[in-house]
Amino acid sequence: MPERIKIGYLGVGRYLPSNVLTNAHLEKMVDTSDEWIVQRTGIRTRRIMSPGESVVSMATAAARAALEHAGIEASRISCIRAGVNTHLRFPSLAALVQEELGIPAISASDISAGCSGFIFSVEEIYNRMFTDWILTGQTSYGLAIGVDGLSLVADYSDRSTCVLFGDGAGAAVVGPVESGEILATYTRSEGRYADLLYLDEILSVPLEDTEAMRFKLHNGIPYPFLRMAGPKVFVVAVRSMISDIKAVIDRYNQLSDSPLNVSDIEYVIPHQANLRIVTAVGEGLNLTPDQVYSDGIVNYGNTSAASIPIAYVEQWARRPGALEADVAFGAGFASGAILRRAPNR
Ligand code: UT7
């Protein structure tokens, strides 16, 4: 097989709102307790947007931080993909971030894939870069974003969901690298589970029935509520993330003449949905607790499409050259994984 170009992350960045929502705050809002939340989810605090903040402002801040970390001018970005579930309007969040960064005409679009949106975004950019390189011999830079403001759609009268969610953004500059190569990606969706995790449709009730038409306003914009059958989602989330790690290894082995095993993986960053889910995924892969990232769920709650790139900032170059995997799961049920080497710098 000919030597192929190495594509990976040149830099990463994130943005977390400064406003902290603690379990003590939630005890005053719904019938819950710090003890229940910590035992059943692991979460202690989350960050919540203030009125002046938005998914666009968070994504722009994370993108700027990633570009600075990478040492790449915004003008060199040729493609933006943004995994986001809470930008419920058009033009796309990616196009608005492009404008904020002052980048002229490029390919910029959003990806709706639940909490797995960042993985889908990286996969698209990665495939696009390979195609460009094969067809033209040229390399370029892309910006993958994962951002969500789940506080916008959390129903703070529903204790079974509202305690889980936080807001935040993460971004990665993707391009040719010397170390930290992405080895393979894998994504899939299973629409048959649509009724287990979804957003209400505000206009699904008669217009005159304002009581039934429940939504909340942020910066003057109405948002519908998120609905989730938590225990059912839990079971599929664990099963999917374990099988997606195996699938991304299989995908790599189809493309490589030096095959890898799941047991070769040294560190995993799973989507931060619930500490019990994160723990179960690690156990299912025979990893020790220190081989599985879990600080995000404790400190920031479930930030949906942002949870993996938020973790990247803390984990950057901690284990130079190590074989690592990121895996996510969410509405759709869209899930997927990235297999990569950790960067050296
Ligand atoms: O990111 C996308 C993917 N999302 C996920 O993967 C989330 C998956 N699901 C979960 O993380 C968990 O299912 C939850 C955290 C949502 C719920 O935890 P659980 O251990 O599955 O609880 P449960 O829904 O089975 O409820 C157990 C009990 C119930 O009371 P009874 O019927 O036994 O008396 C609930 O009413 O806990 C009660 N409960 C609560 N009690 C205090 C549910 N939520 C709360 C709460 N505080 N916040």
Side-chain angles (χ1 to χ4, degrees):
M1 191 176 285
E3 183 80 11
R4 68 176 195 181
I5 186 177
K6 290 183 179 174
I7 299 203
Y9 301 136
L10 288 116
V12 292
R14 71 179 184 184
Y15 179 85
L16 289 156
S18 57
N19 182 24
V20 178
L21 181 68
T22 65
N23 293 347
H25 291 128
L26 285 159
E27 283 176 351
K28 295 191 186 114
M29 296 160 75
V30 284
D31 179 15
T32 191
S33 65
D34 174 61
E35 189 190 5
W36 191 96
I37 298 172
V38 172
Q39 270 183 9
R40 306 305 294 168
T41 73
I43 303 168
R44 292 183 182 273
T45 53
R46 323 116 188 93
R47 303 298 182 88
I48 303 293
M49 283 185 284
S50 298
E53 294 170 311
S54 67
V55 281
V56 176
S57 72
M58 291 197 297
T60 304
R64 284 195 210 284
L67 287 163
E68 191 180 332
H69 186 223
I72 299 285
E73 294 287 331
S75 58
R76 298 178 71 188
I77 296 293
S78 66
C79 157
I80 303 176
R81 292 290 178 269
V84 59
N85 306 288
T86 44
H87 178 72
L88 306 178
R89 52 197 43 83
F90 59 80
S92 70
L93 176 135
L96 297 176
V97 171
Q98 172 199 356
E99 172 61 11
E100 289 288 330
L101 297 176
I103 305 174
I106 57 165
S107 168
S109 65
D110 294 350
I111 294 183
S112 170
C115 302
S116 309
F118 180 77
I119 304 264
F120 280 65
S121 298
V122 170
E123 178 172 78
E124 264 212 45
I125 294 175
Y126 177 71
N127 289 342
R128 189 182 169 97
M129 288 189 168
F130 263 114
T131 310
D132 283 355
W133 177 67
I134 290 163
L135 296 178
T136 69
Q138 304 288 314
T139 56
S140 57
Y141 299 100
L143 188 57
I145 296 172
V147 57
D148 262 312
L150 283 186
S151 70
L152 299 172
V153 295
D155 180 349
Y156 285 101
S157 65
D158 175 8
R159 69 176 183 173
S160 72
T161 54
C162 73
V163 300
L164 295 170
F165 304 121
D167 302 338
V173 176
V174 184
V177 290
E178 282 169 21
S179 73
E181 178 187 10
I182 294 172
L183 300 170
T185 63
Y186 172 80
T187 53
R188 70 171 168 158
S189 301
E190 284 191 87
R192 70 192 162 110
Y193 291 115
D195 59 344
L196 296 184
L197 179 49
Y198 59 92
L199 281 183
D200 275 348
E201 291 176 25
I202 301 179
L203 297 179
S204 64
V205 294
L207 275 176
E208 59 278 11
D209 190 355
T210 49
E211 193 59 32
M213 208 188 306
R214 298 185 61 223
F215 60 85
K216 65 177 149 185
L217 294 173
H218 180 82
N219 295 335
I221 298 165
Y223 290 87
F225 290 117
L226 174 152
R227 305 291 172 204
M228 178 170 70
K232 289 184 181 161
V233 175
F234 189 112
V235 173
V236 190
V238 172
R239 201 172 57 217
S240 292
M241 287 202 269
I242 293 169
S243 77
D244 284 4
I245 292 275
K246 293 175 181 163
V248 81
I249 289 272
D250 288 347
R251 177 128 179 87
Y252 173 77
N253 289 344
Q254 284 166 2
L255 307 170
S256 165
D257 42 19
S258 33
L260 293 168
N261 294 307
V262 173
S263 58
D264 294 322
I265 296 176
E266 294 161 82
Y267 196 78
V268 170
I269 300 180
H271 165 51
Q272 304 287 287
N274 179 322
L275 185 57
R276 289 188 295 133
I277 293 178
V278 167
T279 304
V281 170
E283 287 170 358
L285 295 168
N286 291 321
L287 296 168
T288 58
D290 63 347
Q291 291 180 290
V292 184
Y293 175 80
S294 61
D295 288 350
I297 188 68
V298 177
N299 298 320
Y300 315 123
N302 178 346
T303 53
S304 189
S307 80
I308 288 173
I310 283 174
Y312 282 170
V313 176
E314 291 165 24
Q315 295 299 318
W316 182 261
R318 284 243 183 128
R319 295 159 294 276
L323 185 67
E324 303 195 349
D326 315 309
V327 62
F329 170 87
F333 278 158
S335 67
I338 297 169
L339 184 69
R340 56 181 175 76
R341 293 274 168 203
N344 289 336
R345 66 165 189 98

